[in-house]
Amino acid sequence: MTEDIKTTPPASVSPAEKDDNALGRRGFFRWMTVGWIAFSVATGGFFTVIVRFLFPNVLFEPPQTFKAGFPNDYASNFVDTRYKKKFNVWMVRDEESIFALSTVCTHLGCTPNWLGTENKFKCPCHGSGFRMTGINFEGPAPRPLERYKISVATDGQILVDKTKSFKWEKGEWENAESFLKV
Amino acid sequence: MLQTFKDIIDILSAPTVSFTLLTIAFPFVFPPTDWFEKIHRKFGICRLWTKPGFYGGMIAITFFFVVGYFDPNFNITLTKADNFPIILMIYSMFIAIWWSMYQAYQNDDRLENGLKPMEYNDPDDKVLVWPDLVYIEFIALILFMVFLIVWSILVAAPLEEPANPAATPNPSKAPWYFLGLQEMLVYFDPWIAGIIFPIFIIIGMMAIPYMDINKKGDGYYSFKERRIGMFIFMYGWVVLWLFLIVIGTFFRGPNWNFFGPFEYWDAHKVVPLNNVNLSEYIWVKMLGTGMPTNILLREIIGFIVLIGYMGILPIILAKSWLKNYFQEIGPVRYTFLMLFGLSMLSLPIKMYMRWLFNLKYIIAIPEWFFNI
């Protein structure tokens, strides 16, 4: 009951009456600075961790350009699967040219298998099939496999550049960089 | 004897055969019209939704699995830890469908005789949520937890070696609940089967109460009062979803080829599947000319087919066969019903076109990632 009467708004307290617990103007700024720094550090740390989380711990990223042996190493009408695991590329030699085929199925991105006896690439996910040339002929794949830029390096080896790909449906397989005449 | 049975099952389970049989049999099991209903009664198919029908169904499913368990080939797929949910699904779906149809048929009889449905309660006779309902839910929850714990203890998780982008398992199967989707992807472009159809399925199911304005069957099981709606939904649910999951689980083998359940999974089985786009059929095979260079001209027939199917067919139906129905539900409901209904129907149509004519895409514009 008595409290009701004695309560006075803090603003009306005169500065003369020093209260040890009161937060002064300087004290307020000091604490606010500390508070803001702590808040920024915590938030920054939180978002740093979040951003770190977006990147995988292991990054499988072999170089985009690689050498794939000498043109004479390849037998005619042969699909070389040696570079599939590391570079996601099949090296194919047909009657007159060598080209580098992407191993990404154009339907939904699985990795097809080369079936030598049936002479085709066959995708295990939805059954898309591609001929040795990369042309799609069965299953749901809407377009052929992509080819990568291929050239001969100064030492005579084949140089495959995966940064540039050639799409059949855009007529890019005519491009001289998409195959190697042998 | 048993071998003959297995051979017959293998032949029947080829999707062309099993899908056709299921589709033809479906209206006789869930009769949408009087004519189907008559045959449904005459040949005693209605007995499936009685107690002997239940035991018969359960015995048939169990017999199939027992024979499969002792078969060296089927045993491999049947006892895979990933496939255990499918066995549960087949049983639980049969039980759930039987249980609702059993009650629906009893109610249909009662309503015919002028009685109230079994679920009818005196409006003043109320049941409390707590404890009556929550208590049942709580017990169900505990039992399910026990089941999951026992399952996880008994069956080891089917973990495989670390993922390797260069080595895709053959066959590569989605989680079991996505196998229906994976089966759709075989016949459609990823944009259609992977994005548009799943959205249509979800939105379409949410839209059912707005499109179906039949007030009967509200609060009680019944079949006859809403048989067309039941038939359409059950076809989409059982044949176009559950059955596709079963196909994906038991009938798809290496290289995503079809295998009968008792057949050996030969990775070198050769199935010729030379697929041709509609535009190639028209320009190359029929007209004997080359493909036109103009993309839109090249695919013009496909566009005509698509517009005819999705745009003109509903208008024709609204003026003729579905005239009364169109007037009953109005143009907005009708438009959405046709959009979802015809999209659903396009799945079996496309499957048959693939099986019969090796048709790949009706409209094929890989240049724009636009294939239907």
Side-chain angles (χ1 to χ4, degrees), chain A residues 84-85 88 107-108 110-111 113 115 117-118 122-127 131 136-143 169-170, chain B residues 164-166 168-170 172 182 185-186 188-190 255-256 268 270-271 273-275 360-361 366-367 369 371:
Chain A
K84 179 184 172 186
K85 191 167 182 181
N88 292 320
H107 178 235
L108 216 55
C110 291
T111 308
N113 297 306
L115 306 179
T117 46
E118 287 140 52
K122 187 77 175 165
C123 184
C125 291
H126 305 92
R131 298 199 192 287
N136 55 324
F137 73 101
E138 63 180 8
R143 55 198 188 88
E169 67 273 14
K170 295 196 171 158
Chain B
N164 174 4
T168 317
N170 191 7
S172 228
Q182 192 172 7
L185 278 161
V186 174
F188 284 96
D189 182 83
N255 298 326
W256 214 247
H268 297 286
V270 179
V271 185
L273 291 165
N274 231 323
N275 294 331
K360 191 193 285 175
Y361 289 118
E367 293 90 336
F369 290 97
N371 308 286

